[in-house]
Amino acid sequence: MVPDTTTSPRTGRQELLTALGEIEERVLWLSAATIDHANRVRPNPTGLKVGGHQASCASMVSIMTTLWFHELTADDRVSVKPHASPALHAVNHLLGDLPADALTTLRSFGGLQSYPSRTKDPDPVDYSTGSVGIGATAPIWGALARRYVEGRFPGAGTGRQYALLGDAELDEGACWEAVQDPMVAGLGEVVWIVDLNRQSLDRVVPALSAERLAGMFEAAGWQVLTLKYGEQLTELFSRPGGEALRTRLDTMGNPEYQRLLRCTPAELRERLPGTGSTREPLERLIATLDDDALHSAVRNLGGHDLGALLDAYAAIDDTRPTVILAYTVKGRGLHSEGHPQNHSSLLTRDQLADLATRTGADLDDPWRPLPADSAAARLCAERAEELRRPPVERITPPPVPTDFGRTPGGTGTTQQAFGRALLDLSRGAPEAVARVVTVSPDVSSSTNLGGWLNKVGVWSPTERVNWFADDAETILHWRENPTGQHVELGIAETNLVGLLGELGATWSRWGQPLLPIGIMYDPFVNRALEPWQFGIYAGGQSLLVGTPSGVTLAPEGGAHQSITTPSLGLEQPGCTTWEPAFAQDTEWCVLAALSLLGRPDGGSAYLRLSTRPVDQSLAAVPADPAARERRRRQAVAGAYGLRRAGGAPDVTLAAMGAMVPEALAAADRLASLGVAADVVCVTSPGLLFRATQARRGLDDAPQWVLDQAFPADRAAPLVTLLDGHPHTLAFLGTVHNTPVAPLGVTHFGQSGALDEVYRHHGIDTESVVRAALDLTHRP
């Protein structure tokens, strides 16, 4: 056990613990009453289960009480495990940040959210949680984002980044991917507190070993503090028979221990001694305890001992990450404590009344405040002042250019164009580029970021020696220092998008906007999609670039050929997707995406790029400045007419990304057969879909792009074509209610040459011609 070094400027230690104990009881009551009101008091005409987690709140009450009402500073940030959200709202209520009537709105429309939400809850929430593992790791990436901002735009301060998580949450691989990343070992402000209650949703976890967990954290360079037993048990261990008691508890399986929590004192006297060599000394020790002392001793764990928690906080080593393994009882203080199926159980009315009596609350006036003259109320008021954060002054992001004014020629790929766009930005918009930070999982050189890295360097908290700086054959110069603007993580996509989300939230946390860009292979975007979309939900704004993509990555085979990613823009709220066909479109879309970031009315973006070399003259970029600007606006808005037939078209070919050359070749073939074809280059299916929804009054998006890309007087049967699932563009038939033949990829790919792979999936020129002839009923 760590030494007792905790003192308070306000009061002595015992007085402090007494006041914290009163607050602890009130937090327990308020969290339970909030859930009860949502399920049993508030009208529920549908009869559907509302839900809530009284037991999950109860196991965190002691930890949260000591944190908020003693340990935290205004600079600290805390991620609270999802099912403890009512306890967080109870804490915020006691701090004066949430009115009592708001406690009656848990899980109601427009009320307190089921799980903590930065963007939807009315009270202070530092991190959105709800997807297991993501809330736990978010403070790691929040710490890194704060360091990055503070190194460039001072004002983000210091402060610890806490994660309060359940032990079952450590089953998520995302936790361990983050824990062992080399970038994390130096983040001394990171503190995880594990609610080690040894239960999951359905059961007692049979083989959970804190020692094994401790070893895994220590191997990753973390400080480990274990709080297993409280003061009462520690004192009993010093008595005759105490070592036998410790041995019995230490070697007891989790299910057996949990069963003891459900025993009467008489049953405890029979069960606790066991059957081995500890039985006789344990029976003698137990005989010295009355029933109340025995009952409380069995559940006297370190995670509920206020003094032990304060001592653990005082022992945190701020030079490396820390994990506190705090043994707790799920449902502690409730009738359901320790029961294997207490996860979603609700106290009965009688049980709630008993809880009110034991905690000094009032069942008929559940939101009654603490007595104004009590030490607990005074401590709440003092802590409210100490934790009050000044309003954040938000800096407006610098303007991002819309066009660099040059037209790419020759043959090139959209992936290459992305790398050039970053370099052009660094030359032509220094204020904007100062806010750009790129992140990748060890794929910088293979995604055309080499030039950017050589120019801006790699971010590191401290400067590191580049031992290959004098190697003449070294092309990629890996200069690591605190001024670098690229962050390289290990090969773990969830880490990348977790960091991306927090870099994209600095505008709202500290008022300093960044323009974060994450780059990964498109086949792995789906692996990272869930944490990335959760970052968007939490207010993070970023640009995710998936490259290379699709079956166009022909030789790599089905394992590396993405199919579903083109439809992200249709399906992901808060995200605009672009899949450009040409280098010029790529530049325009990158700049448009960056202009969305770091602002209250902004959003995230996803670019799907390709390594297919394309003749850039096919883009036919207008030379006239006005016509060029019109093309740019159309490309950024979702589509433009790339080629128009001389008269009324017989068919329209709407193609996206790497497939545009096939559409143009098919148009030429069709013309030789007497079939007039328009070719429309689609750059953003999501923006086009929003425009079609707006026509029906279901969105407020602009509609003009539909009129310009798909004019009514040129409405014709439609062939859609993309290197991805065909449903992505199938909706375009609703623009003018025309027949549509959607072509795309619907099954896993094969390795091969490009023409072979395209033919295999029916997205080659021949397939486009056949589909057009079928639609136009030509012989």
Side-chain angles (χ1 to χ4, degrees):
M1 179 62 66
V2 294
D4 175 8
T5 57
T6 303
T7 59
S8 169
R10 295 178 293 271
T11 181
R13 182 177 173 89
Q14 189 52 53
E15 288 80 3
L16 170 64
L17 293 176
T18 299
L20 288 173
E22 294 177 23
I23 296 172
E24 176 188 34
E25 290 185 337
R26 187 53 57 99
V27 173
L28 176 63
W29 164 256
L30 288 173
S31 59
T34 296
I35 297 168
D36 181 78
H37 189 280
N39 285 272
R40 292 209 173 98
V41 179
R42 192 172 66 226
N44 182 10
T46 66
L48 293 174
K49 175 187 173 182
V50 176
H53 303 87
Q54 290 174 330
S56 295
C57 289
S59 63
M60 289 294 297
V61 163
S62 306
I63 294 168
M64 295 177 69
T65 297
T66 50
L67 264 184
W68 266 270
F69 296 95
H70 182 270
E71 186 64 22
L72 294 182
T73 71
D75 285 335
D76 296 338
R77 298 289 190 275
V78 187
S79 170
V80 177
K81 76 173 187 178
H83 292 161
S85 74
L88 175 61
H89 298 311
V91 166
N92 284 335
H93 168 64
L94 292 175
L95 291 171
D97 290 323
L98 189 69
D101 59 1
L103 296 175
T104 67
T105 68
L106 180 70
R107 299 191 174 207
S108 67
F109 186 79
L112 299 176
Q113 299 300 295
S114 306
Y115 311 118
S117 172
R118 286 192 72 224
T119 56
K120 294 187 175 183
D121 275 319
D123 52 331
V125 174
D126 292 331
Y127 290 98
S128 295
T129 58
S131 188
V132 176
I134 295 175
T137 58
I140 290 178
W141 314 124
L144 203 155
R146 185 205 60 77
R147 287 198 183 198
Y148 186 92
V149 169
E150 181 65 19
R152 283 166 173 73
F153 315 107
T158 55
R160 289 174 178 165
Q161 301 280 334
Y162 290 89
L164 310 184
L165 61 151
D167 48 11
E169 201 161 0
L170 292 175
D171 290 344
E172 285 289 339
C175 292
W176 298 107
E177 287 180 353
V179 164
Q180 63 81 43
D181 193 281
M183 189 70 75
V184 173
L187 298 177
E189 62 268 48
V190 172
V191 179
W192 281 15
I193 305 177
V194 180
D195 172 16
L196 207 69
N197 59 46
R198 293 176 275 194
Q199 286 186 234
S200 61
L201 191 150
D202 295 321
R203 61 174 183 159
V204 177
V205 180
L208 178 69
S209 168
E211 291 76 15
R212 178 173 59 85
L213 292 176
M216 293 166 70
F217 278 105
E218 287 171 345
W222 288 49
Q223 177 192 26
V224 178
L225 301 174
T226 301
L227 299 181
K228 189 169 186 179
Y229 300 118
E231 182 179 352
Q232 184 183 4
L233 272 176
T234 302
E235 191 277 327
L236 285 177
F237 294 154
S238 67
R239 297 186 188 182
E243 279 303 313
L245 176 60
R246 181 191 288 273
T247 299
R248 173 81 169 112
L249 292 175
D250 282 345
T251 57
M252 184 181 297
N254 294 333
E256 183 182 4
Y257 173 77
Q258 295 287 109
R259 184 62 184 89
L260 293 181
L261 299 175
R262 310 291 299 167
C263 289
T264 64
E267 292 170 329
L268 279 175
R269 294 184 190 280
E270 176 57 32
R271 287 174 178 259
L272 181 56
T275 58
S277 60
T278 61
R279 184 171 183 86
E280 289 188 10
L282 268 181
E283 286 179 332
R284 290 193 296 271
L285 176 60
I286 291 172
T288 66
L289 305 177
D290 61 31
D291 285 351
D292 288 343
L294 178 59
H295 183 268
S296 63
V298 170
R299 50 194 33 79
N300 180 230
L301 299 181
H304 298 301
D305 189 298
L306 302 179
L309 286 164
L310 296 184
D311 292 342
Y313 303 151
I316 291 173
D317 176 4
D318 286 318
T319 66
R320 54 181 174 148
T322 294
V323 60
I324 299 175
L325 301 175
Y327 280 76
T328 61
V329 173
K330 191 167 184 175
R332 189 211 184 227
L334 306 181
H335 184 269
S336 61
E337 69 177 3
H339 194 281
Q341 282 86 51
N342 66 5
H343 184 77
S344 298
S345 65
L346 292 172
L347 299 179
T348 67
R349 188 68 175 174
D350 289 343
Q351 291 167 352
L352 194 69
D354 176 65
L355 179 64
T357 300
R358 288 188 286 110
T359 59
D362 187 338
L363 184 64
D364 297 320
D365 185 11
W367 323 120
R368 185 184 69 189
L370 291 164
D373 60 347
S374 67
R378 290 194 298 272
L379 181 56
C380 288
E382 291 171 11
R383 291 299 290 158
E385 283 298 315
E386 293 168 358
L387 294 176
R388 184 166 290 115
R389 295 169 183 163
V392 174
E393 181 182 352
R394 290 176 180 167
I395 305 299
T396 302
V400 176
T402 58
D403 190 346
F404 293 131
R406 62 175 179 80
T407 303
T411 300
T413 73
T414 54
Q415 178 176 289
Q416 291 168 341
F418 168 71
R420 284 198 299 268
L422 287 183
L423 287 176
D424 287 343
L425 188 70
S426 68
R427 299 183 186 106
E431 290 187 4
V433 85
R435 302 270 172 177
V436 171
V437 52
T438 55
V439 186
S440 72
D442 197 31
V443 294
S444 301
S445 56
S446 58
T447 53
N448 284 88
L449 281 183
W452 166 257
L453 261 67
N454 286 342
K455 186 171 185 63
V456 302
V458 178
W459 182 83
S460 172
T462 58
E463 186 160 0
R464 297 175 181 173
V465 176
N466 178 11
W467 294 104
F468 287 85
D470 58 350
D471 187 332
E473 296 183 9
T474 298
I475 299 174
L476 184 65
H477 300 291
W478 205 258
R479 294 178 290 106
E480 297 180 87
N481 55 64
T483 63
Q485 290 181 244
H486 176 77
V487 182
E488 186 101 346
L489 300 176
I491 304 177
E493 285 77 12
T494 54
N495 286 352
L496 179 142
V497 296
L499 175 57
L500 206 59
E502 289 306 318
L503 290 169
T506 59
W507 66 273
S508 59
R509 290 197 192 282
W510 302 291
Q512 292 290 352
L514 296 176
L515 308 181
I517 304 172
I519 304 95
M520 67 174 66
Y521 289 165
D522 196 69
F524 307 136
V525 165
N526 281 330
R527 183 186 299 175
L529 186 56
E530 191 247 352
W532 186 56
Q533 70 184 11
F534 204 82
I536 295 174
Y537 170 79
Q541 298 174 1
S542 60
L543 168 57
L544 181 62
V545 179
T547 184
S549 64
V551 300
T552 299
L553 194 60
E556 294 286 346
H560 283 76
Q561 294 172 356
S562 54
I563 298 172
T564 61
T565 48
S567 62
L568 288 183
L570 298 172
E571 300 153 0
Q572 175 57 51
C575 172
T576 301
T577 292
W578 284 284
E579 185 169 347
F582 302 107
Q584 185 62 76
D585 297 348
T586 303
E587 173 195 300
W588 288 336
C589 292
V590 167
L591 297 176
L594 293 177
S595 71
L596 296 174
L597 306 180
R599 55 185 71 249
D601 60 345
S604 292
Y606 164 65
L607 258 68
R608 189 174 190 251
L609 304 180
S610 172
T611 50
R612 183 188 184 184
V614 172
D615 179 0
Q616 298 303 306
S617 68
L618 296 176
V621 179
D624 180 82
R628 178 187 176 97
E629 174 57 16
R630 182 173 184 266
R631 166 70 71 84
R632 185 200 67 80
R633 292 182 68 246
Q634 292 171 340
V636 167
Y640 58 88
L642 180 56
R643 182 185 296 180
R644 300 297 189 193
D650 299 307
V651 67
T652 298
L653 311 179
M656 185 167 73
M659 304 313 302
V660 170
E662 271 59 40
L664 291 170
D668 291 337
R669 287 269 300 276
L670 289 168
S672 69
L673 297 173
V675 178
D678 280 358
V679 178
V680 175
C681 181
V682 174
T683 54
S684 176
L687 290 177
L688 295 184
F689 181 74
R690 288 193 61 192
T692 62
Q693 292 290 85
R695 279 191 172 180
R696 301 174 56 210
L698 300 177
D699 204 316
D700 60 357
Q703 306 171 38
W704 62 265
V705 66
L706 296 179
D707 298 325
Q708 294 190 11
F710 301 95
D713 62 355
R714 301 189 69 81
L718 188 68
V719 178
T720 63
L721 177 66
L722 74 152
D723 184 357
H725 199 283
H727 83 84
T728 305
L729 297 180
F731 73 92
L732 289 176
T734 67
V735 174
H736 295 301
N737 294 319
T738 55
V740 60
L743 303 182
V745 180
T746 57
H747 50 274
F748 291 117
Q750 301 287 338
S751 297
L754 201 60
D755 57 343
E756 295 174 319
V757 171
Y758 282 0
R759 187 165 53 250
H760 172 74
H761 290 284
I763 56 176
D764 59 330
T765 299
E766 196 82 15
S767 298
V768 177
V769 171
R770 283 198 303 267
L773 293 175
D774 288 342
L775 281 177
T776 56
H777 305 292
R778 297 301 173 99

